[in-house]
Amino acid sequence: ERPGSGSGVRRGACQGRFPRWRPPACCAAAGAGWSLGSWGWGAAGPGLRPARSGRIEGKIIEDVKTPTPPNPSGQCPICRWNLKHKYNYEDVLLLSQFIRSDGGMLPRRITGLCLEEHKKVAVCVQMAHRAGLLPNHRPLLPEGHVSKKPKLNRYLTRWSVKSVKPIWKRGPKWCRVPFRVGHPLLMDNINYGQKPVYLNH
Amino acid sequence: PRFRFLPPGVGTGSGSEAAPPARRQSAMASYTKAAQQWATFARAWYLIDGKLQPPGKLAAMSVIRLQGKHKPMYHALSDCGDHVVIINTRHIAFSGNKWEQKVYSSHSGYPGGLKQVTATQLHLKDPTAVVKLAIYRMLPKNLHRRTMMQRLHLFPEDVIPEDIRNNLVEELAQPRRIPKRLDEYTQEEIDAFPMLWTPPKNYRKM
């Protein structure tokens, strides 16, 4: 029995006409702060409650006190913490705050990032996945599934491994086809060394 | 004129007006002549670990030492190159998409004899070939190159023969700083990093 089937009628009436996250007018009347509970899923959420269980227990989780950011007037979390041009694919502690458990990015309306920072973080997360820096954020696969891809170490990979074709003819030195490394969105990062960041190898 | 290697008291008893020069301690004072000769001209064995390193940077470091350009008494004709041992060549890391894009070509000379192989395929077939070719192509294109390649020793894993291991003098620092994976961070470091954004109240952690 699917949980929340009691108010399934109301859900069914609204389905298909509004995006999932925007409440229709009928649900807005329920209260000022609408929650997923108004859709009949319950606080525990679908799938987390076993069917036909006797007891349901709720736990109130205290809000974790986060330290105040150094720039509270910023529009997105990156600007508030003054990290605008300061992170890269190797800053896994920062990137892991914006990803789901299966490795995908969280939506911008939830994290509050501005568009350009969201794109930069997405690019860094992709590069971190390809470099193998996020081993526990893998998509769910059936157990015992062994991938036939050769496991090669890489870093600063711009494009996905499956999508790239070999460069059969690179051309003469004066018009060489370069190997693209890194990503142009990260060109503005602060570089403390003397050598500039090379994107074309 | 006085013979300058005699101590100041010997010779004319009157002595000169200027004080005798103070004896300077040379940096090589603690080495015997034989030991200094050996240290200068002996062929050293260097070890480089290629794990998660780009093969081009490994090649640049090795080429300098194979030629002998890290020595102040370098001369192209004086055969002053050293031995270089590179381990873990199976675990090298290319930046970018070079594993898929880089193509190694060879032609047998006969028509239809062009063989083009991607870096992935070549690496799976022979795990030392990528580093070997990188070093071969970086060395100067003269007859010394083959001798220098004979002084290069590549091993796919960290298993080295006993006699080479006994010869090693120094392990060189890796050219690339390896970033930490997420599971290599301690729980204290993860807790010390603040949460940058507060999730909304009805947000369910995925």
Side-chain angles (χ1 to χ4, degrees):
Chain A
E1 184 194 349
R2 277 197 72 208
S5 59
S7 46
V9 172
R10 186 154 63 134
R11 252 182 81 228
C14 303
Q15 218 167 30
R17 271 198 253 153
F18 295 93
R20 245 183 36 200
W21 56 270
R22 188 175 287 139
C26 58
C27 294
W34 72 278
S35 65
L36 288 169
S38 70
W39 289 97
W41 286 359
L48 294 175
R49 232 190 301 164
R52 293 267 174 233
S53 68
R55 270 177 86 90
I56 302 164
E57 225 177 272
K59 228 196 297 183
I60 299 171
I61 304 167
E62 294 284 334
D63 277 335
V64 179
K65 277 188 192 149
T66 47
T68 45
N71 182 19
S73 66
Q75 301 306 313
C76 69
I78 305 276
C79 308
R80 263 177 262 140
W81 285 88
N82 287 335
L83 291 169
K84 197 120 174 85
H85 298 295
K86 292 186 186 164
Y87 59 94
N88 207 345
Y89 78 104
E90 20 189 51
D91 303 311
V92 187
L93 289 172
L94 186 147
L95 299 175
S96 61
Q97 293 186 5
F98 298 103
I99 54 176
R100 291 196 310 254
S101 60
D102 67 341
M105 281 287 289
L106 289 168
R108 202 163 67 96
R109 58 189 163 85
I110 296 216
T111 57
L113 286 167
C114 44
L115 185 63
E116 49 166 315
E117 292 302 320
H118 176 82
K119 284 184 180 168
K120 281 189 205 172
V121 169
V123 153
C124 290
V125 161
Q126 280 178 344
M127 293 205 284
H129 275 302
R130 289 165 191 154
L133 298 176
L134 298 164
N136 299 329
H137 293 261
R138 290 283 146 138
L140 298 160
L141 282 171
E143 267 183 40
H145 177 260
V146 178
S147 68
K148 285 172 234 167
K149 283 189 292 185
K151 272 192 186 168
L152 295 165
N153 299 325
R154 54 185 82 235
Y155 63 102
L156 287 171
T157 347
R158 190 186 295 188
W159 295 306
S160 108
V161 170
K162 280 192 220 171
S163 70
V164 179
K165 298 280 171 223
I167 301 177
W168 298 112
K169 285 185 217 173
R170 281 193 75 196
K173 266 194 186 168
W174 50 273
C175 65
R176 188 79 88 187
V177 175
F179 295 121
R180 309 283 182 184
V181 170
H183 203 278
L185 284 178
L186 303 169
M187 273 280 270
D188 300 324
N189 272 6
I190 296 177
N191 184 19
Y192 290 110
Q194 259 109 29
K195 289 187 286 189
V197 172
Y198 292 113
L199 294 187
N200 300 332
H201 282 200
Chain B
R2 284 174 62 202
F3 190 15
R4 60 193 175 94
F5 292 120
L6 281 178
V10 177
T12 47
S14 56
S16 50
E17 280 108 11
R23 191 161 296 183
R24 260 187 308 157
Q25 276 281 326
S26 72
M28 298 291 160
S30 54
Y31 289 98
T32 55
K33 289 287 175 197
Q36 190 181 324
Q37 189 82 352
W38 268 95
T40 316
F41 293 100
R43 211 167 281 152
W45 286 68
Y46 293 100
L47 177 69
I48 307 177
D49 189 358
K51 193 156 192 194
L52 292 167
Q53 302 298 312
K57 295 205 175 158
L58 291 173
M61 288 168 60
S62 324
V63 153
I64 292 174
R65 274 146 190 101
L66 286 167
Q67 288 179 292
K69 288 206 156 174
H70 61 297
K71 296 182 179 174
M73 31 70 80
Y74 164 81
H75 186 84
L77 300 173
S78 52
D79 191 21
C80 48
D82 289 335
H83 291 256
V84 172
V85 177
I86 305 185
I87 56 172
N88 285 324
T89 55
R90 186 173 270 137
H91 306 287
I92 49 171
F94 262 125
S95 56
N97 287 91
K98 289 182 203 161
W99 281 121
E100 290 76 39
Q101 286 181 319
K102 199 166 171 63
V103 166
Y104 289 90
S105 330
S106 61
H107 202 291
S108 63
Y110 291 95
L114 179 64
K115 276 196 184 150
Q116 286 183 302
V117 172
T118 56
T120 325
Q121 295 163 348
L122 182 67
H123 191 70
L124 293 170
K125 207 165 179 193
D126 177 14
T128 59
V130 171
V131 181
K132 191 168 175 188
L133 279 167
I135 295 177
Y136 188 75
R137 290 169 183 186
M138 270 200 206
L139 286 168
K141 318 287 182 282
N142 51 31
L143 293 171
H144 291 296
R145 183 162 60 159
R146 297 257 161 178
T147 349
M148 290 190 255
M149 285 302 284
Q150 286 187 326
R151 289 183 188 148
L152 172 70
H153 312 272
L154 300 170
F155 298 100
E157 309 288 343
D158 51 2
V159 173
I160 322 175
E162 182 80 36
D163 30 13
I164 295 184
R165 208 173 337 122
N166 293 338
N167 286 347
L168 295 171
V169 160
E170 192 193 336
E171 181 173 356
L172 304 172
Q174 291 190 305
R176 173 196 169 220
R177 189 172 51 91
I178 300 176
K180 262 197 204 176
R181 290 199 316 257
L182 190 55
D183 50 352
E184 283 170 5
Y185 280 99
T186 56
Q187 193 53 44
E188 291 89 44
E189 284 172 323
I190 297 175
D191 296 331
F193 200 87
M195 190 70 187
L196 296 183
W197 58 288
T198 44
K201 267 192 192 151
N202 49 13
Y203 172 63
R204 198 174 72 242
K205 192 175 164 110
M206 298 273 200

